[in-house]
Amino acid sequence: MSISLTGMASGLNTAEMVEKLMALERKSYEKLENKQTYMNDVKSFYTGINTKLSALRNAASDLMLRANYQLTSAKSSNESVAQVSAGTSVSTGSFLVEVSQLATPHVMMWDTATPDTDFAGGEITKTIKFHFEGKEIEIEAKGKNAGELMESIKTQVNSNAKGLTAAVINTSTGKKLIFNASNSGSDGKIGFTSAEKGVYIEDSEGAFSLLGTNTQIAPEEAIFKVNGVEITQGSNVITNVIDGVTMNLTGKGSSTVKVSTDTDKITSKVEAFIKAYNDITTSIRDVIGEKKPLQGDSTLRDLSNQMNQWMNTLVDFGDGTDFDKKYTISSFGLEIDKGQTKASLMTGTISFDKEKFINKFLEDPELVISMFNKTVPDLNNPDNPDKLPKAVGIAALFKDNVYAWSKSDGVFASKIKGYDAEVALITDQMSRLDAKLQAKEARMKSQFTAMEVALSKLQSEQTYMSSQLNALTKK
């Protein structure tokens, strides 16, 4: 450990002198540090844009799927009669639904007036098997009286059996075990013969004969009409009457079910694409302009220009000779820098005329779909050995072309890899330079300490000589 003797003999603030000298020496280190910070910031920006490109490609892929233009919604005018939802491949139209009877489950009950009277032989164990949809569940019910046997059956049925639930209630006359079928109608019947469609109970040891009187509430089918056609089904959840529509019958009465194209769902897909595009465009514009941190960055400028070109592509729906069959995306309500004529006010972002898009879609849905997802054969292209279709539609162009930028070995991945290498090089340079600077600082401190020691020694010798001369003078 070195000892610092700051100005002890010289009267100089050598520690401050070393600090200021080292501050000058560290200018080169600070330059490297600033460069490292800059490179890390640029790398982070490129990483962020790469992530946004993936989001843009995903949004473009959504617009390639025909199913995303066939989105529908279903509405019921009276949800106390029928609640509805729409899936895919839906039949659109208006349907009058009239419900005269709801489907009800089968209920089976056993009522004992002596639940606490013990069996003559004490506690018994009975094996019962429940069969439902090809599966068998076996339980062992135990109890020393009918009440305990009911509780044992209830607990094990609810824990293990399928197709029914069990409950035990206290009544004014004793206890009651209740089985409720999980399914409504005849398909959910509970019985003791293997011919039952629902739950078949195999009670070879006679457990239920010990539980008292058996009563039942028979299941009922759902009876309803759709546009005057009477239909009977075993469930209140109807999935096979109106294509793609699920109806949940909730009560007797009538309701008008309207199934229509859900333009809000469709436009949300377009809006997601626009948002992803604008997000990238704005991010790039914010950093490559005059006096911006990445002013003139050729990679970012190239990407911005290409995205603009893809978006403004003229898509041909004819044989190439009829201009009336060529469209740009602005014909469908998507337009870059709409209404702007001054370059200083242009942002490169897309505005969306939702009403125009919806009107165009309702007028000619196939044209709108093709505007986004159109591809054509590309059989004679030597650069396309796999004979993949050529992208023509806007979404198709973005899906294919963005991949070259965002894939794991694409343009941005290469740029990020390059910045990683440069940051690593700078970090290594900083480490070596820091070691040199520390050594130099230690050397300077050591030299100043040696100077102070030498001066102190000289001052001691001077004091000694002066004292000797004074002594001689006095004699």
Side-chain angles (χ1 to χ4, degrees), residues 357-389:
F357 176 87
I358 291 173
N359 289 338
K360 199 73 175 179
F361 181 80
L362 295 176
E363 174 190 326
D364 192 345
E366 284 302 319
L367 178 65
V368 174
I369 295 170
S370 295
M371 186 66 196
F372 284 103
N373 73 359
K374 184 179 180 180
T375 59
V376 295
D378 190 24
L379 305 178
N380 300 316
N381 185 354
D383 296 326
N384 183 18
D386 296 328
K387 310 301 181 186
L388 297 174

Side-chain angles (χ1 to χ4, degrees), residues 95-113:
F95 306 87
L96 177 62
V97 178
E98 300 170 281
V99 180
S100 57
Q101 179 175 290
L102 290 176
T104 58
H106 190 188
V107 180
M108 190 171 283
M109 298 168 283
W110 289 265
D111 196 345
T112 177

Side-chain angles (χ1 to χ4, degrees), residues 17 20 23 40 47 50 90 109 114 140 147 158 173 181 202 213 217 232 240 284 322 328 360 408 418 434-435 448 460:
M17 292 172 63
K20 290 182 176 180
N40 275 321
T47 301
N50 204 32
V90 175
M109 298 168 283
T114 56
E140 285 192 350
N158 290 337
T173 58
E202 189 177 349
T213 305
I217 300 175
T232 299
N240 57 355
I284 292 176
D322 188 351
T328 63
K360 199 73 175 179
S408 59
D434 186 57
F448 275 116
S460 295

Side-chain angles (χ1 to χ4, degrees), residues 33 74 76 79 98 100 134 166 180 188 194 215 229 258 267 328 368 406:
E33 195 171 41
S76 170
E79 293 198 339
E98 300 170 281
S100 57
N180 276 281
S194 58
T215 56
V229 178
K258 291 185 177 180
T267 55
T328 63
V368 174
S406 63

Side-chain angles (χ1 to χ4, degrees), residues 68-304:
N68 284 333
Y69 299 92
Q70 297 171 336
L71 302 173
T72 55
S73 62
K75 293 182 179 179
S76 170
S77 65
N78 188 353
E79 293 198 339
S80 64
V81 172
Q83 297 173 350
V84 294
S85 62
T88 56
S89 301
V90 175
S91 293
T92 57
S94 181
F95 306 87
L96 177 62
V97 178
E98 300 170 281
V99 180
S100 57
Q101 179 175 290
L102 290 176
T104 58
H106 190 188
V107 180
M108 190 171 283
M109 298 168 283
W110 289 265
D111 196 345
T112 177
T114 56
D116 300 321
T117 302
D118 290 348
F119 299 129
E123 185 178 74
I124 62 171
T125 299
K126 297 289 185 179
T127 299
I128 308 170
K129 295 179 181 178
F130 294 83
H131 302 265
F132 180 70
E133 295 182 346
K135 295 182 180 179
E136 178 187 293
I137 299 295
E138 182 178 288
I139 69 169
E140 285 192 350
K142 296 180 180 181
K144 64 178 182 290
N145 52 52
E148 289 186 3
L149 197 59
M150 284 181 173
E151 292 290 348
S152 179
I153 292 172
K154 178 203 75 173
T155 300
Q156 294 186 68
V157 164
N158 290 337
S159 298
N160 303 297
K162 306 295 182 184
L164 77 168
T165 59
V168 174
I169 62 171
N170 296 311
T171 67
S172 59
T173 58
K175 271 192 175 181
K176 185 175 288 188
L177 172 66
I178 304 171
F179 281 172
N180 276 281
S182 300
N183 297 331
S184 301
S186 58
D187 288 346
K189 284 189 70 176
I190 304 168
F192 289 86
T193 64
S194 58
E196 299 295 352
K197 293 181 180 179
V199 179
Y200 158 47
I201 303 173
E202 189 177 349
D203 182 26
S204 60
E205 297 183 5
F208 289 95
S209 65
L210 302 173
L211 302 181
T213 305
N214 173 241
T215 56
Q216 302 183 41
I217 300 175
E220 292 186 334
E221 309 290 283
I223 302 174
F224 59 99
K225 292 179 180 180
V226 175
N227 286 351
V229 178
E230 186 170 280
I231 300 166
T232 299
Q233 292 207 3
S235 172
N236 291 317
V237 179
I238 314 300
T239 59
N240 57 355
V241 174
I242 304 173
D243 287 342
V245 175
T246 297
M247 292 192 297
N248 182 21
L249 305 182
T250 54
K252 296 179 181 180
S254 63
S255 174
T256 300
V257 174
K258 291 185 177 180
V259 185
S260 58
T261 300
D262 194 330
T263 53
D264 283 340
K265 289 181 182 177
I266 296 168
T267 55
S268 71
K269 301 291 183 183
V270 179
E271 286 168 338
F273 174 70
I274 293 171
K275 181 181 182 302
Y277 179 96
N278 287 345
D279 197 10
I280 294 171
T281 299
T282 301
S283 295
I284 292 176
R285 291 278 179 125
D286 285 346
V287 297
I288 65 170
E290 188 176 353
K291 296 181 181 179
K292 298 291 185 179
L294 294 177
Q295 180 180 346
D297 187 296
S298 59
T299 301
L300 295 175
R301 191 174 296 279
D302 189 25
L303 173 61
S304 181

